[in-house]
């Protein structure tokens, strides 16, 4: 499919952060952007919940269908595979989490009509993390992989690789996996909740562990102007118990510098207001769509390139 015509317009990149069910706000962000006649993002990257919405945008899933799908979304209908979970439990595979999110891959591939990275009209990149091997994996098209390799210094300036004196994380770019649903599943595998997803020898979990808002990725994709949208850090379900609440707040506190660093990279970077009061697991928070739309509209008025 021919990529969107970009002559005479800036190459705008959009990075969408993770946050579980808080991702409804991203649906509203897209609604505001799509209301613009011109200058729509032509590069998009996402992680976790942001990966789901980024893939839908890159495939040009119509806004009404996106909102309808969001309203009908269910954990056990569209994310969690009970059969796969049972298989892992009996096999005593409990690394990373008890549940399998295998159903998410099928949900996404159905929504995207089975299209792969190379078939999309908008350039897409999705991130995941291999914590054992200390690797960030970026899934993208063959064409975009070439550009990301050429701009690798942008990626490595953000996520520092190891050297003789320091630990670090390497970045691997994968373009031979055309299964977007599988990449979204890996990007959304929250550690402690979902089983890691095995791809190309990597055991992958949520991309937000290493890069919560992948602004550096859309920069390396060739964007002349970038937008980064954060949903805060929501890697652990804090409704379970006081112990988990304390742990979750600790993770959130540690993530604040990382999120700020990502948003500071963007020409327009912001976190949805009061998003930390919203649950990362409660579905059908449709009010977040309206909030995301309003905030994106307000921020668009502050720049002259949108």
């Amino acid at each position: 499919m021919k990529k969107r015509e970009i002559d005479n317009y800036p190459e705008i990149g959009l990075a969408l952060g993770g946050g579980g069910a808080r991702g409804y706000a991203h649906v509203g962000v897209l609604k505001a952007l799509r209301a613009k006649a011109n200058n729509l993002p032509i590069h998009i990257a996402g992680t976790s919940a942001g990966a789901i919405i980024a893939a839908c945008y890159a495939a040009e899933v119509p806004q009404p269908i996106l909102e309808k799908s969001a309203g009908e979304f269910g954990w056990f209908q569209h994310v969690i595979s009970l059969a796969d979970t049972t298989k892992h439990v009996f096999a005593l595979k409990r690394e990373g989490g008890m549940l399998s999110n295998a159903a998410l891959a099928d949900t996404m591939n159905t929504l995207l009509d089975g299209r792969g990275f190379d078939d999309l009209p908008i350039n897409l990149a999705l991130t995941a993390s291999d914590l054992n091997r200390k690797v960030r994996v970026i899934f993208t098209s063959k064409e975009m992989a070439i550009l990301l390799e050429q701009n690798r210094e942008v990626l490595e300036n953000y996520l520092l690789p190891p050297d003789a004196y320091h630990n670090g994380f390497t970045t691997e770019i994968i373009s031979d996996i055309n299964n977007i649903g599988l990449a979204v599943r890996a990007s959304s595998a929250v550690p402690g909740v979902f089983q890691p997803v095995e791809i190309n020898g990597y055991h992958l979990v949520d991309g937000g562990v290493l890069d919560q808002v992948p602004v550096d990725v859309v920069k390396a994709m060739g964007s002349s102007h970038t937008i980064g949208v954060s949903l805060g850090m929501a890697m652990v379900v804090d409704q379970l118990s006081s112990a988990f609440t304390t742990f979750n707040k600790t993770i959130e506190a540690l993530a604040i510098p990382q999120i700020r660093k990502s948003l500071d990279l963007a020409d327009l970077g912001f976190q949805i207001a009061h998003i930390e009061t919203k649950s990362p697991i409660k579905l059908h928070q449709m009010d977040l769509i309206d909030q995301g739309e309003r905030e994106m509209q307000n921020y668009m008025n502050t720049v002259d390139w949108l």
Side-chain angles (χ1 to χ4, degrees), residues 172-230:
E172 295 296 329
I173 301 163
I174 295 180
S175 61
D176 61 349
I177 300 295
N178 216 29
N179 186 332
I180 294 177
L182 184 62
V184 169
R185 178 190 169 196
S187 183
S188 306
V190 177
V193 179
F194 295 118
Q195 290 276 340
V197 180
E198 297 184 27
I199 302 176
N200 282 17
Y202 295 107
H203 289 237
L204 299 171
V205 296
D206 197 301
V209 175
L210 298 180
D211 191 0
Q212 185 67 6
V213 188
V215 175
D216 64 311
V217 177
V218 288
K219 278 182 153 318
M221 292 169 80
S223 306
S224 56
H225 297 81
T226 55
I227 306 167
V229 184
S230 170

Short mmCIF file of all heavy atoms in Angstrom, two decimals, residues 172-230:
data_model
loop_
_atom_site.label_atom_id
_atom_site.label_comp_id
_atom_site.label_asym_id
_atom_site.label_seq_id
_atom_site.Cartn_x
_atom_site.Cartn_y
_atom_site.Cartn_z
N GLU A 172 17.34 -3.75 19.57
CA GLU A 172 17.29 -4.60 18.38
C GLU A 172 16.06 -4.23 17.56
O GLU A 172 14.97 -4.02 18.10
CB GLU A 172 17.22 -6.08 18.78
CG GLU A 172 18.46 -6.60 19.48
CD GLU A 172 19.70 -6.56 18.60
OE1 GLU A 172 19.55 -6.72 17.36
OE2 GLU A 172 20.81 -6.37 19.13
N ILE A 173 16.26 -4.12 16.26
CA ILE A 173 15.18 -3.75 15.35
C ILE A 173 14.79 -4.98 14.54
O ILE A 173 15.62 -5.57 13.85
CB ILE A 173 15.63 -2.61 14.42
CG1 ILE A 173 16.04 -1.39 15.25
CG2 ILE A 173 14.52 -2.24 13.44
CD1 ILE A 173 16.87 -0.38 14.50
N ILE A 174 13.53 -5.37 14.64
CA ILE A 174 13.04 -6.58 14.00
C ILE A 174 12.02 -6.22 12.93
O ILE A 174 11.00 -5.57 13.21
CB ILE A 174 12.40 -7.54 15.02
CG1 ILE A 174 13.47 -8.04 16.00
CG2 ILE A 174 11.71 -8.71 14.34
CD1 ILE A 174 12.95 -8.99 17.06
N SER A 175 12.28 -6.64 11.70
CA SER A 175 11.38 -6.33 10.59
C SER A 175 10.91 -7.58 9.85
O SER A 175 10.23 -7.46 8.83
CB SER A 175 12.06 -5.38 9.60
OG SER A 175 13.22 -5.99 9.05
N ASP A 176 11.27 -8.77 10.37
CA ASP A 176 10.85 -9.99 9.70
C ASP A 176 9.65 -10.66 10.37
O ASP A 176 9.29 -11.78 10.06
CB ASP A 176 12.01 -10.99 9.61
CG ASP A 176 12.55 -11.42 10.97
OD1 ASP A 176 12.15 -10.78 11.97
OD2 ASP A 176 13.33 -12.37 11.03
N ILE A 177 9.04 -9.96 11.32
CA ILE A 177 7.80 -10.42 11.95
C ILE A 177 6.68 -9.52 11.45
O ILE A 177 6.54 -8.38 11.90
CB ILE A 177 7.88 -10.36 13.49
CG1 ILE A 177 9.03 -11.22 14.00
CG2 ILE A 177 6.56 -10.78 14.12
CD1 ILE A 177 8.86 -12.70 13.74
N ASN A 178 5.90 -10.00 10.50
CA ASN A 178 4.86 -9.15 9.92
C ASN A 178 3.54 -9.28 10.67
O ASN A 178 2.54 -8.69 10.28
CB ASN A 178 4.66 -9.50 8.44
CG ASN A 178 4.33 -8.27 7.60
OD1 ASN A 178 4.75 -7.16 7.94
ND2 ASN A 178 3.57 -8.45 6.54
N ASN A 179 3.54 -10.05 11.75
CA ASN A 179 2.34 -10.29 12.55
C ASN A 179 2.20 -9.17 13.58
O ASN A 179 2.80 -9.22 14.66
CB ASN A 179 2.46 -11.66 13.22
CG ASN A 179 1.21 -12.07 13.97
OD1 ASN A 179 0.46 -11.24 14.44
ND2 ASN A 179 1.02 -13.37 14.09
N ILE A 180 1.41 -8.16 13.26
CA ILE A 180 1.27 -7.02 14.15
C ILE A 180 0.62 -7.42 15.47
O ILE A 180 1.01 -6.95 16.54
CB ILE A 180 0.46 -5.90 13.47
CG1 ILE A 180 1.24 -5.34 12.27
CG2 ILE A 180 0.15 -4.77 14.47
CD1 ILE A 180 0.48 -4.29 11.50
N GLY A 181 -0.35 -8.32 15.41
CA GLY A 181 -1.02 -8.77 16.63
C GLY A 181 -0.05 -9.39 17.61
O GLY A 181 -0.13 -9.15 18.82
N LEU A 182 0.90 -10.17 17.11
CA LEU A 182 1.89 -10.80 17.98
C LEU A 182 2.79 -9.74 18.61
O LEU A 182 3.14 -9.82 19.79
CB LEU A 182 2.73 -11.80 17.18
CG LEU A 182 3.76 -12.62 17.96
CD1 LEU A 182 3.08 -13.48 19.02
CD2 LEU A 182 4.59 -13.49 17.02
N ALA A 183 3.18 -8.74 17.82
CA ALA A 183 4.02 -7.65 18.35
C ALA A 183 3.27 -6.85 19.41
O ALA A 183 3.85 -6.48 20.44
CB ALA A 183 4.47 -6.75 17.21
N VAL A 184 1.99 -6.58 19.18
CA VAL A 184 1.18 -5.87 20.18
C VAL A 184 1.08 -6.68 21.45
O VAL A 184 1.18 -6.15 22.57
CB VAL A 184 -0.22 -5.56 19.61
CG1 VAL A 184 -1.15 -5.07 20.72
CG2 VAL A 184 -0.15 -4.52 18.51
N ARG A 185 0.87 -8.00 21.29
CA ARG A 185 0.79 -8.87 22.46
C ARG A 185 2.08 -8.79 23.29
O ARG A 185 2.02 -8.68 24.51
CB ARG A 185 0.54 -10.31 22.01
CG ARG A 185 0.50 -11.30 23.14
CD ARG A 185 0.51 -12.75 22.64
NE ARG A 185 0.72 -13.65 23.75
CZ ARG A 185 1.07 -14.93 23.63
NH1 ARG A 185 1.25 -15.45 22.41
NH2 ARG A 185 1.25 -15.69 24.69
N ALA A 186 3.23 -8.85 22.63
CA ALA A 186 4.50 -8.76 23.35
C ALA A 186 4.65 -7.41 24.03
O ALA A 186 5.06 -7.32 25.19
CB ALA A 186 5.66 -9.00 22.39
N SER A 187 4.29 -6.35 23.33
CA SER A 187 4.42 -5.00 23.86
C SER A 187 3.54 -4.78 25.08
O SER A 187 3.81 -3.92 25.91
CB SER A 187 4.08 -3.97 22.78
OG SER A 187 4.25 -2.66 23.25
N SER A 188 2.46 -5.58 25.19
CA SER A 188 1.46 -5.40 26.25
C SER A 188 1.55 -6.44 27.36
O SER A 188 0.66 -6.49 28.21
CB SER A 188 0.06 -5.45 25.63
OG SER A 188 -0.08 -4.53 24.57
N ALA A 189 2.59 -7.26 27.36
CA ALA A 189 2.71 -8.34 28.35
C ALA A 189 3.24 -7.77 29.66
O ALA A 189 4.46 -7.80 29.93
CB ALA A 189 3.61 -9.44 27.82
N VAL A 190 2.36 -7.25 30.47
CA VAL A 190 2.75 -6.61 31.73
C VAL A 190 3.44 -7.65 32.62
O VAL A 190 2.84 -8.68 32.96
CB VAL A 190 1.51 -6.04 32.46
CG1 VAL A 190 1.91 -5.44 33.81
CG2 VAL A 190 0.82 -5.00 31.58
N PRO A 191 4.68 -7.40 33.03
CA PRO A 191 5.39 -8.37 33.88
C PRO A 191 4.69 -8.52 35.23
O PRO A 191 4.21 -7.55 35.81
CB PRO A 191 6.79 -7.76 34.03
CG PRO A 191 6.63 -6.32 33.71
CD PRO A 191 5.51 -6.23 32.72
N GLY A 192 4.64 -9.76 35.70
CA GLY A 192 3.94 -10.04 36.94
C GLY A 192 2.49 -10.41 36.72
O GLY A 192 1.85 -10.98 37.60
N VAL A 193 1.97 -10.08 35.52
CA VAL A 193 0.58 -10.41 35.18
C VAL A 193 0.54 -11.41 34.03
O VAL A 193 -0.09 -12.47 34.14
CB VAL A 193 -0.22 -9.14 34.81
CG1 VAL A 193 -1.65 -9.50 34.42
CG2 VAL A 193 -0.22 -8.15 35.96
N PHE A 194 1.23 -11.08 32.93
CA PHE A 194 1.19 -11.92 31.73
C PHE A 194 2.50 -12.66 31.50
O PHE A 194 3.58 -12.16 31.84
CB PHE A 194 0.86 -11.08 30.50
CG PHE A 194 -0.52 -10.49 30.53
CD1 PHE A 194 -0.70 -9.11 30.53
CD2 PHE A 194 -1.64 -11.30 30.56
CE1 PHE A 194 -1.97 -8.55 30.57
CE2 PHE A 194 -2.91 -10.75 30.59
CZ PHE A 194 -3.08 -9.38 30.60
N GLN A 195 2.38 -13.83 30.89
CA GLN A 195 3.55 -14.59 30.49
C GLN A 195 4.36 -13.81 29.45
O GLN A 195 3.79 -13.14 28.60
CB GLN A 195 3.11 -15.92 29.84
CG GLN A 195 2.50 -16.92 30.80
CD GLN A 195 3.56 -17.73 31.51
OE1 GLN A 195 4.69 -17.83 31.06
NE2 GLN A 195 3.18 -18.33 32.63
N PRO A 196 5.69 -13.89 29.48
CA PRO A 196 6.48 -13.32 28.39
C PRO A 196 6.12 -13.97 27.06
O PRO A 196 5.68 -15.12 27.02
CB PRO A 196 7.92 -13.65 28.80
CG PRO A 196 7.87 -13.86 30.26
CD PRO A 196 6.53 -14.46 30.54
N VAL A 197 6.31 -13.24 25.99
CA VAL A 197 6.00 -13.72 24.64
C VAL A 197 7.31 -14.03 23.93
O VAL A 197 8.19 -13.17 23.84
CB VAL A 197 5.19 -12.66 23.87
CG1 VAL A 197 4.85 -13.16 22.47
CG2 VAL A 197 3.91 -12.30 24.64
N GLU A 198 7.43 -15.24 23.45
CA GLU A 198 8.67 -15.67 22.80
C GLU A 198 8.64 -15.34 21.31
O GLU A 198 7.79 -15.83 20.58
CB GLU A 198 8.89 -17.17 23.01
CG GLU A 198 9.06 -17.57 24.47
CD GLU A 198 9.36 -19.05 24.63
OE1 GLU A 198 9.93 -19.65 23.69
OE2 GLU A 198 9.00 -19.61 25.68
N ILE A 199 9.58 -14.51 20.87
CA ILE A 199 9.71 -14.13 19.46
C ILE A 199 11.19 -14.05 19.12
O ILE A 199 11.95 -13.35 19.79
CB ILE A 199 9.05 -12.76 19.16
CG1 ILE A 199 7.57 -12.77 19.54
CG2 ILE A 199 9.22 -12.39 17.69
CD1 ILE A 199 6.89 -11.41 19.36
N ASN A 200 11.60 -14.77 18.09
CA ASN A 200 12.99 -14.72 17.63
C ASN A 200 14.00 -14.96 18.74
O ASN A 200 15.08 -14.35 18.76
CB ASN A 200 13.28 -13.39 16.94
CG ASN A 200 12.73 -13.32 15.53
OD1 ASN A 200 11.86 -14.12 15.15
ND2 ASN A 200 13.19 -12.38 14.73
N GLY A 201 13.66 -15.83 19.68
CA GLY A 201 14.58 -16.13 20.76
C GLY A 201 14.51 -15.18 21.94
O GLY A 201 15.15 -15.42 22.97
N TYR A 202 13.75 -14.11 21.82
CA TYR A 202 13.57 -13.16 22.92
C TYR A 202 12.35 -13.56 23.76
O TYR A 202 11.36 -14.07 23.24
CB TYR A 202 13.37 -11.74 22.39
CG TYR A 202 14.57 -11.18 21.68
CD1 TYR A 202 14.58 -11.04 20.29
CD2 TYR A 202 15.70 -10.78 22.39
CE1 TYR A 202 15.69 -10.53 19.63
CE2 TYR A 202 16.80 -10.26 21.74
CZ TYR A 202 16.79 -10.14 20.35
OH TYR A 202 17.90 -9.64 19.71
N HIS A 203 12.41 -13.30 25.07
CA HIS A 203 11.28 -13.48 25.97
C HIS A 203 10.81 -12.08 26.34
O HIS A 203 11.40 -11.43 27.22
CB HIS A 203 11.71 -14.28 27.20
CG HIS A 203 11.98 -15.72 26.90
ND1 HIS A 203 11.34 -16.75 27.54
CD2 HIS A 203 12.80 -16.32 26.00
CE1 HIS A 203 11.76 -17.92 27.08
NE2 HIS A 203 12.65 -17.67 26.13
N LEU A 204 9.75 -11.65 25.68
CA LEU A 204 9.40 -10.23 25.69
C LEU A 204 8.25 -9.90 26.62
O LEU A 204 7.26 -10.64 26.72
CB LEU A 204 9.05 -9.78 24.27
CG LEU A 204 10.18 -9.92 23.25
CD1 LEU A 204 9.67 -9.66 21.84
CD2 LEU A 204 11.33 -8.99 23.60
N VAL A 205 8.40 -8.75 27.29
CA VAL A 205 7.35 -8.20 28.13
C VAL A 205 7.13 -6.75 27.72
O VAL A 205 7.74 -6.23 26.78
CB VAL A 205 7.71 -8.31 29.63
CG1 VAL A 205 7.82 -9.76 30.06
CG2 VAL A 205 9.00 -7.54 29.95
N ASP A 206 6.26 -6.11 28.46
CA ASP A 206 5.80 -4.75 28.19
C ASP A 206 6.94 -3.81 27.81
O ASP A 206 7.93 -3.68 28.53
CB ASP A 206 5.10 -4.22 29.44
CG ASP A 206 4.23 -3.02 29.18
OD1 ASP A 206 4.76 -2.00 28.70
OD2 ASP A 206 3.03 -3.09 29.47
N GLY A 207 6.78 -3.11 26.70
CA GLY A 207 7.81 -2.18 26.24
C GLY A 207 8.00 -0.99 27.16
O GLY A 207 9.06 -0.37 27.18
N GLY A 208 6.97 -0.69 27.97
CA GLY A 208 7.06 0.46 28.86
C GLY A 208 8.04 0.29 29.99
O GLY A 208 8.39 1.27 30.66
N VAL A 209 8.50 -0.94 30.23
CA VAL A 209 9.51 -1.15 31.26
C VAL A 209 10.76 -0.34 30.96
O VAL A 209 11.40 0.21 31.86
CB VAL A 209 9.85 -2.64 31.39
CG1 VAL A 209 10.99 -2.86 32.38
CG2 VAL A 209 8.62 -3.44 31.81
N LEU A 210 11.12 -0.26 29.68
CA LEU A 210 12.34 0.44 29.29
C LEU A 210 12.08 1.79 28.63
O LEU A 210 12.94 2.66 28.66
CB LEU A 210 13.15 -0.44 28.32
CG LEU A 210 13.64 -1.77 28.86
CD1 LEU A 210 14.42 -2.53 27.78
CD2 LEU A 210 14.50 -1.58 30.10
N ASP A 211 10.93 1.96 28.03
CA ASP A 211 10.66 3.18 27.27
C ASP A 211 9.16 3.42 27.28
O ASP A 211 8.43 2.95 26.41
CB ASP A 211 11.19 3.01 25.84
CG ASP A 211 11.18 4.32 25.06
OD1 ASP A 211 10.78 5.35 25.63
OD2 ASP A 211 11.59 4.30 23.89
N GLN A 212 8.69 4.15 28.29
CA GLN A 212 7.25 4.28 28.51
C GLN A 212 6.56 5.09 27.41
O GLN A 212 5.41 4.81 27.07
CB GLN A 212 7.00 4.92 29.88
CG GLN A 212 5.56 5.02 30.29
CD GLN A 212 4.90 3.68 30.56
OE1 GLN A 212 5.55 2.65 30.55
NE2 GLN A 212 3.60 3.69 30.79
N VAL A 213 7.23 6.09 26.87
CA VAL A 213 6.66 6.89 25.77
C VAL A 213 7.74 6.98 24.69
O VAL A 213 8.66 7.79 24.80
CB VAL A 213 6.25 8.31 26.23
CG1 VAL A 213 5.50 9.02 25.11
CG2 VAL A 213 5.39 8.24 27.49
N PRO A 214 7.67 6.16 23.63
CA PRO A 214 8.80 6.02 22.70
C PRO A 214 8.98 7.19 21.73
O PRO A 214 8.96 7.02 20.51
CB PRO A 214 8.47 4.72 21.98
CG PRO A 214 6.99 4.62 22.03
CD PRO A 214 6.58 5.21 23.34
N VAL A 215 9.20 8.37 22.30
CA VAL A 215 9.44 9.55 21.46
C VAL A 215 10.75 9.40 20.68
O VAL A 215 10.83 9.81 19.51
CB VAL A 215 9.48 10.82 22.34
CG1 VAL A 215 9.86 12.04 21.49
CG2 VAL A 215 8.14 11.04 23.02
N ASP A 216 11.76 8.80 21.32
CA ASP A 216 13.03 8.61 20.61
C ASP A 216 12.86 7.77 19.36
O ASP A 216 13.55 7.97 18.36
CB ASP A 216 14.07 7.98 21.53
CG ASP A 216 13.70 6.58 21.99
OD1 ASP A 216 12.56 6.38 22.45
OD2 ASP A 216 14.55 5.68 21.90
N VAL A 217 11.90 6.84 19.40
CA VAL A 217 11.67 5.96 18.24
C VAL A 217 11.08 6.75 17.08
O VAL A 217 11.54 6.62 15.94
CB VAL A 217 10.76 4.78 18.63
CG1 VAL A 217 10.45 3.92 17.40
CG2 VAL A 217 11.42 3.93 19.71
N VAL A 218 10.08 7.61 17.33
CA VAL A 218 9.50 8.38 16.23
C VAL A 218 10.50 9.42 15.72
O VAL A 218 10.46 9.78 14.54
CB VAL A 218 8.15 9.02 16.59
CG1 VAL A 218 7.07 7.97 16.70
CG2 VAL A 218 8.22 9.86 17.84
N LYS A 219 11.38 9.88 16.59
CA LYS A 219 12.44 10.77 16.11
C LYS A 219 13.35 10.03 15.14
O LYS A 219 13.71 10.55 14.07
CB LYS A 219 13.25 11.31 17.29
CG LYS A 219 12.66 12.49 18.02
CD LYS A 219 13.58 12.95 19.10
CE LYS A 219 13.46 14.39 19.47
NZ LYS A 219 13.31 15.39 18.49
N ALA A 220 13.73 8.83 15.51
CA ALA A 220 14.61 8.03 14.65
C ALA A 220 13.91 7.58 13.38
O ALA A 220 14.57 7.23 12.40
CB ALA A 220 15.13 6.81 15.42
N MET A 221 12.59 7.61 13.37
CA MET A 221 11.82 7.26 12.16
C MET A 221 11.84 8.39 11.13
O MET A 221 11.30 8.24 10.05
CB MET A 221 10.38 6.90 12.55
CG MET A 221 10.27 5.61 13.34
SD MET A 221 8.62 5.34 14.07
CE MET A 221 7.71 4.72 12.63
N GLY A 222 12.42 9.52 11.51
CA GLY A 222 12.55 10.62 10.55
C GLY A 222 11.60 11.77 10.77
O GLY A 222 11.46 12.64 9.91
N SER A 223 10.94 11.82 11.93
CA SER A 223 9.97 12.87 12.20
C SER A 223 10.65 14.22 12.40
O SER A 223 11.62 14.32 13.15
CB SER A 223 9.15 12.53 13.45
OG SER A 223 8.56 11.26 13.34
N SER A 224 10.13 15.23 11.75
CA SER A 224 10.65 16.58 11.95
C SER A 224 9.99 17.26 13.14
O SER A 224 10.55 18.20 13.72
CB SER A 224 10.45 17.42 10.69
OG SER A 224 9.08 17.45 10.31
N HIS A 225 8.79 16.84 13.49
CA HIS A 225 8.09 17.32 14.67
C HIS A 225 7.50 16.11 15.39
O HIS A 225 6.98 15.19 14.74
CB HIS A 225 6.96 18.29 14.31
CG HIS A 225 7.43 19.55 13.64
ND1 HIS A 225 7.73 19.62 12.30
CD2 HIS A 225 7.66 20.79 14.15
CE1 HIS A 225 8.13 20.85 12.00
NE2 HIS A 225 8.10 21.57 13.10
N THR A 226 7.55 16.13 16.71
CA THR A 226 7.10 14.96 17.46
C THR A 226 6.11 15.32 18.56
O THR A 226 6.19 16.39 19.17
CB THR A 226 8.29 14.20 18.09
OG1 THR A 226 9.04 15.12 18.90
CG2 THR A 226 9.18 13.60 17.02
N ILE A 227 5.19 14.39 18.80
CA ILE A 227 4.20 14.50 19.87
C ILE A 227 4.36 13.26 20.76
O ILE A 227 4.43 12.14 20.26
CB ILE A 227 2.76 14.53 19.31
CG1 ILE A 227 2.61 15.64 18.27
CG2 ILE A 227 1.75 14.70 20.44
CD1 ILE A 227 1.32 15.53 17.47
N GLY A 228 4.42 13.46 22.06
CA GLY A 228 4.46 12.35 23.00
C GLY A 228 3.35 12.48 24.01
O GLY A 228 3.14 13.55 24.58
N VAL A 229 2.59 11.39 24.22
CA VAL A 229 1.46 11.42 25.15
C VAL A 229 1.64 10.31 26.18
O VAL A 229 1.73 9.13 25.83
CB VAL A 229 0.12 11.23 24.42
CG1 VAL A 229 -1.04 11.36 25.42
CG2 VAL A 229 -0.04 12.24 23.30
N SER A 230 1.68 10.69 27.45
CA SER A 230 1.87 9.74 28.55
C SER A 230 0.56 9.49 29.29
O SER A 230 -0.26 10.40 29.47
CB SER A 230 2.91 10.28 29.54
OG SER A 230 2.95 9.50 30.70
#
